[in-house]
Amino acid sequence: MTSVENQTRLHESILIVDFGSQVTQLIARRLREADVYCEIHPFSNAADELERLSPKGIILSGGPASVLDENAPDIDARLLDANVPILGICYGQQALCIALGGKVEAGHDREFGRANVTPKKPCALYDGVWDLESEHQVWMSHGDRVTKLPKGFEVVATSPGAPLAIIANEEKQIWATQFHPEVHHTPEGAKLLSNFVHKICGCSGDWTMATYKEQAIEKIREQVGDKRVICGLSGGVDSSVAALLIHEAIGDQLTCILVDHGLMRQNEASDVVAMFSEHYDLKLVHVNAVDTFIEELEGESDPETKRKIIGRLFIETFEKEAKKLGGADFLAQGTLYPDVIESVSFTGGPSVTIKSHHNVGGLPERMNMELVEPLRELFKDEVRTLGHELGLPDSFIGRHPFPGPGLAIRLPGGITREKLEILRQADAVYLDEIRKSGLYDKIWQAFAVLLPVQTVGVMGDGRTYEFVCALRAVTSVDGMTADFYPYDMEFLGKAATRIINEVRGINRVVYDVTSKPPGTIEWE
């Protein structure tokens, strides 16, 4: 048994069985918030982890399939015989019922979105959370529904579209919900999950980010050994936390490479170099690759082509720098869980690729390197907590996210050096006004976009024909969903006036009030 496995066994754990839901990781996130260690494993081999994890409970996730499909994922019998409490969610509820002799049917009322659930009798799952006979908001996402309960089960809560919204067999310690308690649109869902792991499973809550840090360091040491790692340091929170974590694990075996590609925010490269050279004992190579990137991107308007060009040039730059260093065996990057789910399909089938600039599927074979991604299972807010554990200053940890492609995806249409500079200046003025207004820490991400539109305007005694600048600001918790920040008109007026007055090339400013469902919150 490895040292990481030894550490895992020191903690109470929950096994999460993944049936392919895009929000399965949110279950893990809620459990971590409750200080309970958990691991996600696909339904096909989750039962193989029982002996190693010795879980105190099992949660069956939702999924995109129908349990009525011919090759629908099913529950391994070993999970049902583990003699620990089980919670089934959505697909997990239906799969449980099929496995235990119940019945699921299609063709009934579907529910996608908000719904109201009414408890019908006391239940350990919502004890102390929901009062009886009142309606409670939840988030549904189902087409099929359970129509016959397995023996020993009873209905404890209902909704108009799901009469069996919560079912239970308390004697066998099995509970199941048709709705998703893990998402924010089920306001008290985190408390329901906390009830399951603490009150039902008996977990004391011995998992913290400090513990995660210790185990991640051990895992990095086991993966890397005595070999050399290069890390793509963008200056953002993710790559910076990854770099410091890896450095704490392997010290001088790590070399960080900051690629200045000309798509960074104003003074970004120099600020990052100054911070890391003054406060951290990291090997840092600053590569000026502005001409290389801009020459290949100039005039390119297709967003996917932009991403592929940027991703390829990053890899080529890392290859060149690794050779100069005498070679490297690993490439480290700050990939987060939202990057993963927006880049690949959980179910193995076709999916829409959202973040193709991330190397989540592996590196080109010619590189002969492996990826080190110590943050791959974390959300942005968890990375910030880890940053605190590593000693990063609050002013840095609280920085707004900045995607790898940088300003390239905030410049719809053809890229030119002139337009990049206009955008860089507008973005700097916008962020400065946000800080002066005391709003920076209330907003998850804010940025300016230079639209591929020019309009006629009158400035002073002359006419202008200049670009339109769009401003965006969103609130979010984990980067999975986002809503626009409700600025007042006074702020928007100040920001717009400053941009028009201070940035030559812009004569009109608009505010984007788009909300985003699960998926990317960037602009293209």
Side-chain angles (χ1 to χ4, degrees):
M1 182 177 291
T2 67
S3 60
V4 172
E5 288 172 337
N6 269 319
Q7 287 188 47
T8 298
R9 291 296 295 270
L10 292 174
H11 296 280
E12 302 162 331
S13 67
I14 299 292
L15 172 61
I16 300 172
V17 182
D18 184 14
F19 286 101
S21 169
Q22 199 179 47
V23 292
T24 298
Q25 189 73 7
L26 288 179
I27 302 172
R29 187 171 176 278
R30 299 294 168 257
L31 302 196
R32 293 175 199 161
E33 289 171 349
D35 298 330
V36 174
Y37 179 75
C38 58
E39 288 187 12
I40 297 173
H41 292 280
F43 71 93
S44 56
N45 65 9
D48 297 336
E49 304 296 329
L50 286 171
E51 182 178 355
R52 179 182 65 84
L53 277 178
S54 188
K56 299 200 71 172
I58 296 171
I59 297 179
L60 309 174
S61 84
S66 166
V67 294
L68 303 176
D69 292 342
E70 183 177 352
N71 297 313
D74 56 12
I75 302 173
D76 192 308
R78 290 175 292 172
L79 297 171
L80 300 176
D81 294 335
N83 197 32
V84 296
I86 296 175
L87 172 64
I89 295 173
C90 196
Y91 183 94
Q93 183 202 58
Q94 297 170 8
L96 269 173
C97 287
I98 293 291
L100 297 173
K103 188 175 181 180
V104 175
E105 295 181 1
H108 296 273
D109 292 337
R110 300 183 303 169
E111 281 186 304
F112 294 96
R114 291 179 178 86
N116 290 317
V117 167
T118 303
K120 292 302 180 185
K121 61 179 301 180
C123 174
L125 192 62
Y126 49 72
D127 180 45
V129 179
W130 286 352
D131 59 293
L132 297 179
E133 305 303 330
S134 296
E135 291 187 343
H136 302 275
Q137 181 183 306
V138 301
W139 187 262
M140 293 282 189
S141 180
H142 67 97
D144 305 335
R145 77 180 188 197
V146 177
T147 55
K148 178 186 176 183
L149 287 177
K151 184 179 178 180
F153 280 79
E154 61 180 340
V155 179
V156 295
T158 66
S159 78
L164 284 68
I166 304 180
I167 60 175
N169 184 331
E170 299 212 9
E171 181 181 349
K172 290 190 175 181
Q173 292 191 298
I174 301 176
W175 292 260
T177 70
Q178 183 58 75
F179 59 88
H180 287 271
E182 69 272 29
V183 301
H184 282 286
H185 297 91
T186 300
E188 295 174 304
K191 294 179 181 178
L192 301 182
L193 290 172
S194 180
N195 263 6
F196 178 71
V197 297
H198 290 303
K199 293 186 177 181
I200 295 174
C201 298
C203 294
S204 61
D206 61 356
W207 176 252
T208 65
M209 191 52 69
T211 309
Y212 180 90
K213 169 189 163 185
E214 293 170 7
Q215 293 196 353
I217 287 172
E218 287 299 315
K219 187 174 181 180
I220 293 165
R221 287 172 179 164
E222 288 183 6
Q223 180 185 8
V224 173
D226 60 358
K227 297 178 181 178
R228 187 173 296 172
V229 180
I230 59 172
C231 177
L233 183 63
S234 69
V237 175
D238 307 336
S239 64
S240 299
V241 170
L244 289 178
L245 183 64
I246 295 168
H247 182 257
E248 191 156 329
I250 61 173
D252 288 345
Q253 293 169 243
L254 171 70
T255 299
C256 294
I257 299 174
L258 174 64
V259 179
D260 185 354
H261 48 29
L263 306 171
M264 303 178 83
R265 293 173 287 202
Q266 189 164 283
N267 301 323
E268 186 98 47
S270 58
D271 289 347
V272 171
V273 171
M275 187 187 81
F276 278 93
S277 61
E278 292 173 9
H279 300 287
Y280 302 98
D281 187 25
L282 287 173
K283 292 181 181 177
L284 176 59
V285 177
H286 180 198
V287 180
N288 186 338
V290 173
D291 290 341
T292 300
F293 277 78
I294 302 305
E295 285 172 8
E296 287 221 30
L297 286 168
E298 198 151 14
E300 182 56 59
S301 60
D302 179 71
E304 184 62 16
T305 302
K306 290 179 187 176
R307 288 176 174 273
K308 288 180 177 178
I309 290 172
I310 293 166
R312 173 175 57 81
L313 291 177
F314 264 126
I315 293 298
E316 291 176 1
T317 304
F318 291 142
E319 283 183 295
K320 291 177 183 176
E321 294 304 317
K323 288 179 181 178
K324 292 179 183 177
L325 295 169
D329 302 283
F330 297 91
L331 172 64
Q333 57 185 25
T335 305
L336 304 190
Y337 184 73
D339 301 329
V340 176
I341 65 170
E342 293 173 357
S343 305
V344 296
S345 168
F346 272 26
T347 58
S351 63
V352 177
T353 299
I354 298 175
K355 291 193 172 180
S356 53
H357 61 282
H358 286 279
N359 305 300
V360 294
L363 295 168
E365 289 186 12
R366 71 171 191 276
M367 288 193 74
N368 196 29
M369 297 171 70
E370 293 181 37
L371 281 172
V372 178
E373 298 173 310
L375 313 181
R376 188 182 174 96
E377 297 179 354
L378 301 183
F379 287 84
K380 176 70 74 173
D381 56 322
E382 293 176 308
V383 173
R384 287 178 171 144
T385 302
L386 181 57
H388 280 292
E389 290 289 336
L390 292 165
L392 275 169
D394 290 342
S395 59
F396 188 83
I397 290 172
R399 297 178 75 196
H400 291 179
F402 191 63
L407 299 181
I409 59 170
R410 296 172 183 176
L411 190 61
I415 288 179
T416 68
R417 293 174 189 263
E418 178 189 11
K419 288 197 289 184
L420 279 169
E421 189 53 37
I422 292 172
L423 175 57
R424 202 176 341 263
Q425 292 178 29
D427 190 69
V429 171
Y430 177 39
L431 293 178
D432 181 60
E433 192 60 40
I434 289 174
R435 289 189 175 94
K436 286 180 176 177
S437 300
L439 299 175
Y440 190 85
D441 292 335
K442 297 179 181 180
I443 297 169
W444 193 79
Q445 184 183 45
F447 54 83
V449 178
L450 194 67
L451 300 181
V453 176
Q454 289 178 280
T455 64
V456 174
V458 176
M459 300 179 71
D461 295 324
R463 296 177 66 189
T464 62
Y465 187 62
E466 295 177 328
F467 288 102
V468 177
C469 175
L471 305 180
R472 185 141 205 246
V474 297
T475 58
S476 182
V477 175
D478 46 38
M480 295 294 295
T481 59
D483 203 357
F484 67 89
Y485 183 80
Y487 285 131
D488 58 39
M489 292 305 297
E490 182 180 359
F491 171 84
L492 289 174
K494 286 181 181 179
T497 299
R498 280 196 61 190
I499 290 171
I500 291 170
N501 286 342
E502 297 176 29
V503 182
R504 188 175 296 275
I506 294 174
N507 67 4
R508 195 176 302 273
V509 175
V510 298
Y511 183 55
D512 171 27
V513 295
T514 306
S515 298
K516 300 295 284 186
T520 180
I521 62 168
E522 295 168 4
W523 179 299
E524 291 183 317

